[in-house]
């Protein structure tokens, strides 16, 4: 007696189509973006580089122009990413876009990943000591269990 197996094959390619990389200007987040760029290149995926602009309570800002500061950070990150992309042009072709969201980093990245229909999320490991107790954005993203999450040291 022979056993017949019917297999259905998916059309297209396997692997992620949209990879979200969370950046905040820290060294680990920039390494995460570079790692995500390599994944996007190999998978022919779109790299969505996301910066979440923090929203602080009025009293927490102590009169500092926080919105202007976070806009400057976003502009600086875009400039750094464009410079890196320009240096690699012709060697590595990666489709990428830069997006900013407002809010706390965790909720901002969740919103970005949902809106962009991310297949994977890449973030840098937290560089803040307090996160070992409270839990980092990366740990919270992993616990959410909604996408594969890569944490880059």
């Amino acid at each position: 007696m022979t056993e017949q197996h019917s297999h259905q094959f998916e059309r297209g390619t396997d692997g992620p189509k949209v990879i979200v990389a969370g950046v905040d200007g820290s060294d680990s987040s920039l390494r995460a973006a570079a790692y995500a760029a390599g994944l996007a290149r190999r998978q022919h995926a779109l790299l969505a580089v996301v910066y979440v602009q923090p929203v602080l309570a009025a009293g927490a800002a102590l009169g500092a122009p926080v919105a202007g500061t976070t806009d400057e950070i976003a502009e600086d990150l875009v400039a750094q990413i464009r410079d890196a992309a320009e240096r690699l042009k012709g060697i590595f072709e990666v489709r990428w876009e830069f997006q900013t969201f407002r809010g706390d980093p965790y909720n901002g990245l969740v919103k970005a990943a949902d809106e962009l229909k991310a297949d994977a999320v890449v973030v840098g490991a937290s560089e803040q000591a307090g996160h070992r107790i409270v839990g980092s954005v990366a740990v919270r993203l992993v616990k959410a269990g909604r996408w594969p999450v890569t944490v880059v040291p």
Side-chain angles (χ1 to χ4, degrees):
M1 179 154 65
T2 61
E3 229 179 277
Q4 292 185 351
H5 295 282
S6 68
H7 295 286
Q8 287 187 326
F9 294 96
E10 292 181 17
R11 293 191 178 268
T13 60
D14 290 333
K17 292 292 176 205
V18 178
I19 298 171
V20 168
V23 296
D24 61 7
S26 67
D27 288 345
S28 68
S29 78
L30 296 176
R31 285 191 297 271
Y35 181 85
L39 288 177
R41 177 181 57 80
R42 289 187 294 279
Q43 297 289 338
H44 305 289
L46 171 68
L47 171 62
V49 179
V50 174
Y51 170 61
V52 180
Q53 292 181 300
V55 177
L56 299 178
L62 300 174
V66 175
T69 303
T70 60
D71 287 342
E72 288 173 23
I73 292 170
E75 289 169 17
D76 184 52
L77 287 169
V78 171
Q80 287 182 50
I81 293 162
R82 281 206 175 107
D83 287 348
E86 196 59 38
R87 283 194 307 271
L88 297 174
K89 200 171 186 175
I91 302 170
F92 300 119
E93 291 297 325
V94 176
R95 291 180 305 123
W96 67 278
E97 61 185 42
F98 182 83
Q99 302 229 0
T100 60
F101 288 80
R102 289 195 181 274
D104 69 274
Y106 171 75
N107 287 312
L109 286 172
V110 166
K111 182 178 178 184
D114 283 346
E115 286 186 15
L116 298 168
K117 296 180 175 33
D119 297 299
V121 177
V122 180
V123 292
S126 176
E127 296 179 355
Q128 297 179 6
H131 285 170
R132 285 178 286 211
I133 299 164
V134 178
S136 67
V137 171
V139 169
R140 292 175 67 195
L141 288 168
V142 170
K143 285 183 178 178
R146 293 165 63 179
W147 327 265
V149 177
T150 302
V151 182
V152 177

